[in-house]
mmCIF file of all heavy atoms in Angstrom:
data_model
loop_
_atom_site.group_PDB
_atom_site.id
_atom_site.type_symbol
_atom_site.label_atom_id
_atom_site.label_comp_id
_atom_site.label_asym_id
_atom_site.label_seq_id
_atom_site.Cartn_x
_atom_site.Cartn_y
_atom_site.Cartn_z
ATOM 1 N N LYS A 224 -25.575 25.598 12.028
ATOM 2 C CA LYS A 224 -25.592 26.587 10.971
ATOM 3 C C LYS A 224 -24.138 27.126 10.679
ATOM 4 O O LYS A 224 -23.973 27.972 9.868
ATOM 5 C CB LYS A 224 -26.490 27.772 11.246
ATOM 6 C CG LYS A 224 -28.002 27.364 11.311
ATOM 7 C CD LYS A 224 -28.851 28.583 11.630
ATOM 8 C CE LYS A 224 -30.335 28.230 11.666
ATOM 9 N NZ LYS A 224 -31.212 29.360 11.928
ATOM 10 N N GLY A 225 -23.198 26.549 11.400
ATOM 11 C CA GLY A 225 -21.804 26.928 11.183
ATOM 12 C C GLY A 225 -21.411 28.225 11.900
ATOM 13 O O GLY A 225 -20.410 28.928 11.532
ATOM 14 N N ILE A 226 -22.143 28.622 12.993
ATOM 15 C CA ILE A 226 -21.899 29.863 13.660
ATOM 16 C C ILE A 226 -21.138 29.533 14.979
ATOM 17 O O ILE A 226 -21.475 28.550 15.664
ATOM 18 C CB ILE A 226 -23.243 30.571 14.037
ATOM 19 C CG1 ILE A 226 -23.963 30.929 12.715
ATOM 20 C CG2 ILE A 226 -22.994 31.854 14.842
ATOM 21 C CD1 ILE A 226 -25.388 31.543 12.934
ATOM 22 N N GLU A 227 -20.064 30.249 15.317
ATOM 23 C CA GLU A 227 -19.367 30.061 16.494
ATOM 24 C C GLU A 227 -20.205 30.222 17.760
ATOM 25 O O GLU A 227 -20.891 31.216 17.978
ATOM 26 C CB GLU A 227 -18.130 31.027 16.600
ATOM 27 C CG GLU A 227 -17.071 30.821 15.558
ATOM 28 C CD GLU A 227 -17.208 31.827 14.456
ATOM 29 O OE1 GLU A 227 -18.327 32.409 14.229
ATOM 30 O OE2 GLU A 227 -16.185 32.044 13.776
ATOM 31 N N THR A 228 -20.210 29.158 18.654
ATOM 32 C CA THR A 228 -21.079 29.033 19.741
ATOM 33 C C THR A 228 -20.307 28.601 20.975
ATOM 34 O O THR A 228 -19.454 27.739 20.897
ATOM 35 C CB THR A 228 -22.244 28.035 19.479
ATOM 36 O OG1 THR A 228 -22.831 28.452 18.240
ATOM 37 C CG2 THR A 228 -23.228 27.952 20.581
ATOM 38 N N PHE A 229 -20.632 29.174 22.195
ATOM 39 C CA PHE A 229 -19.976 28.734 23.339
ATOM 40 C C PHE A 229 -20.416 27.303 23.704
ATOM 41 O O PHE A 229 -21.587 27.001 23.534
ATOM 42 C CB PHE A 229 -20.294 29.706 24.518
ATOM 43 C CG PHE A 229 -19.496 30.913 24.536
ATOM 44 C CD1 PHE A 229 -20.034 32.192 24.372
ATOM 45 C CD2 PHE A 229 -18.060 30.924 24.681
ATOM 46 C CE1 PHE A 229 -19.304 33.326 24.342
ATOM 47 C CE2 PHE A 229 -17.326 32.039 24.672
ATOM 48 C CZ PHE A 229 -17.933 33.302 24.478
ATOM 49 N N ASN A 230 -19.479 26.531 24.217
ATOM 50 C CA ASN A 230 -19.756 25.099 24.549
ATOM 51 C C ASN A 230 -19.485 24.810 25.974
ATOM 52 O O ASN A 230 -19.272 23.652 26.328
ATOM 53 C CB ASN A 230 -18.837 24.264 23.631
ATOM 54 C CG ASN A 230 -19.272 22.748 23.721
ATOM 55 O OD1 ASN A 230 -20.437 22.480 23.715
ATOM 56 N ND2 ASN A 230 -18.307 21.893 23.674
ATOM 57 N N PHE A 231 -19.552 25.810 26.839
ATOM 58 C CA PHE A 231 -19.398 25.634 28.234
ATOM 59 C C PHE A 231 -20.052 26.784 28.988
ATOM 60 O O PHE A 231 -20.373 27.849 28.469
ATOM 61 C CB PHE A 231 -17.881 25.640 28.595
ATOM 62 C CG PHE A 231 -17.229 26.961 28.559
ATOM 63 C CD1 PHE A 231 -17.026 27.703 29.768
ATOM 64 C CD2 PHE A 231 -16.915 27.545 27.343
ATOM 65 C CE1 PHE A 231 -16.452 28.955 29.716
ATOM 66 C CE2 PHE A 231 -16.350 28.790 27.335
ATOM 67 C CZ PHE A 231 -16.121 29.495 28.498
ATOM 68 N N GLY A 232 -20.194 26.620 30.333
ATOM 69 C CA GLY A 232 -20.599 27.690 31.243
ATOM 70 C C GLY A 232 -21.976 28.300 31.040
ATOM 71 O O GLY A 232 -22.876 27.681 30.401
ATOM 72 N N LYS A 233 -22.173 29.463 31.607
ATOM 73 C CA LYS A 233 -23.580 30.012 31.587
ATOM 74 C C LYS A 233 -24.042 30.463 30.266
ATOM 75 O O LYS A 233 -25.300 30.596 30.088
ATOM 76 C CB LYS A 233 -23.578 31.300 32.542
ATOM 77 C CG LYS A 233 -22.696 32.442 32.075
ATOM 78 C CD LYS A 233 -22.861 33.561 33.092
ATOM 79 C CE LYS A 233 -22.011 34.803 32.683
ATOM 80 N NZ LYS A 233 -22.161 35.853 33.647
ATOM 81 N N TYR A 234 -23.152 30.584 29.280
ATOM 82 C CA TYR A 234 -23.575 30.981 27.907
ATOM 83 C C TYR A 234 -23.533 29.768 26.922
ATOM 84 O O TYR A 234 -23.447 29.976 25.752
ATOM 85 C CB TYR A 234 -22.715 32.161 27.427
ATOM 86 C CG TYR A 234 -22.971 33.410 28.121
ATOM 87 C CD1 TYR A 234 -21.942 34.128 28.678
ATOM 88 C CD2 TYR A 234 -24.279 33.927 28.191
ATOM 89 C CE1 TYR A 234 -22.198 35.281 29.369
ATOM 90 C CE2 TYR A 234 -24.529 35.162 28.881
ATOM 91 C CZ TYR A 234 -23.403 35.803 29.426
ATOM 92 O OH TYR A 234 -23.689 36.995 30.099
ATOM 93 N N LYS A 235 -23.403 28.621 27.453
ATOM 94 C CA LYS A 235 -23.375 27.414 26.611
ATOM 95 C C LYS A 235 -24.556 27.360 25.655
ATOM 96 O O LYS A 235 -25.779 27.549 26.071
ATOM 97 C CB LYS A 235 -23.372 26.178 27.436
ATOM 98 C CG LYS A 235 -23.221 24.877 26.548
ATOM 99 C CD LYS A 235 -23.024 23.634 27.427
ATOM 100 C CE LYS A 235 -22.857 22.413 26.519
ATOM 101 N NZ LYS A 235 -22.714 21.129 27.374
ATOM 102 N N GLY A 236 -24.295 27.244 24.383
ATOM 103 C CA GLY A 236 -25.344 27.207 23.331
ATOM 104 C C GLY A 236 -25.652 28.577 22.752
ATOM 105 O O GLY A 236 -26.425 28.687 21.785
ATOM 106 N N ARG A 237 -25.020 29.655 23.318
ATOM 107 C CA ARG A 237 -25.226 30.946 22.829
ATOM 108 C C ARG A 237 -24.135 31.290 21.809
ATOM 109 O O ARG A 237 -22.996 30.917 21.965
ATOM 110 C CB ARG A 237 -25.208 31.988 23.959
ATOM 111 C CG ARG A 237 -26.375 31.941 24.921
ATOM 112 C CD ARG A 237 -27.517 32.761 24.453
ATOM 113 N NE ARG A 237 -27.204 34.137 24.156
ATOM 114 C CZ ARG A 237 -27.078 35.072 25.069
ATOM 115 N NH1 ARG A 237 -27.331 34.785 26.346
ATOM 116 N NH2 ARG A 237 -26.810 36.349 24.739
ATOM 117 N N HIS A 238 -24.496 32.083 20.801
ATOM 118 C CA HIS A 238 -23.478 32.556 19.763
ATOM 119 C C HIS A 238 -22.477 33.476 20.440
ATOM 120 O O HIS A 238 -22.870 34.371 21.208
ATOM 121 C CB HIS A 238 -24.172 33.229 18.609
ATOM 122 C CG HIS A 238 -25.088 32.291 17.818
ATOM 123 N ND1 HIS A 238 -26.051 32.773 16.977
ATOM 124 C CD2 HIS A 238 -25.037 30.980 17.684
ATOM 125 C CE1 HIS A 238 -26.636 31.753 16.360
ATOM 126 N NE2 HIS A 238 -26.033 30.661 16.857
ATOM 127 N N VAL A 239 -21.179 33.261 20.150
ATOM 128 C CA VAL A 239 -20.157 34.011 20.740
ATOM 129 C C VAL A 239 -20.347 35.495 20.446
ATOM 130 O O VAL A 239 -20.207 36.357 21.343
ATOM 131 C CB VAL A 239 -18.781 33.547 20.278
ATOM 132 C CG1 VAL A 239 -17.684 34.411 20.861
ATOM 133 C CG2 VAL A 239 -18.548 32.063 20.696
ATOM 134 N N GLU A 240 -20.622 35.793 19.199
ATOM 135 C CA GLU A 240 -20.709 37.213 18.828
ATOM 136 C C GLU A 240 -21.867 37.896 19.584
ATOM 137 O O GLU A 240 -21.679 39.032 20.050
ATOM 138 C CB GLU A 240 -20.986 37.300 17.359
ATOM 139 C CG GLU A 240 -21.003 38.736 16.806
ATOM 140 C CD GLU A 240 -21.150 38.795 15.290
ATOM 141 O OE1 GLU A 240 -20.734 37.813 14.649
ATOM 142 O OE2 GLU A 240 -21.703 39.807 14.795
ATOM 143 N N ASP A 241 -22.999 37.203 19.816
ATOM 144 C CA ASP A 241 -24.106 37.805 20.586
ATOM 145 C C ASP A 241 -23.709 38.049 22.025
ATOM 146 O O ASP A 241 -24.069 39.081 22.663
ATOM 147 C CB ASP A 241 -25.283 36.895 20.538
ATOM 148 C CG ASP A 241 -25.892 36.813 19.154
ATOM 149 O OD1 ASP A 241 -25.642 37.692 18.278
ATOM 150 O OD2 ASP A 241 -26.664 35.864 18.839
#
Side-chain angles (χ1 to χ4, degrees):
K224 295 182 180 179
I226 300 174
E227 293 102 338
T228 304
F229 282 116
N230 192 37
F231 75 100
K233 64 180 181 179
Y234 291 125
K235 184 174 182 178
R237 292 275 306 276
H238 293 162
V239 175
E240 186 174 331
D241 293 343

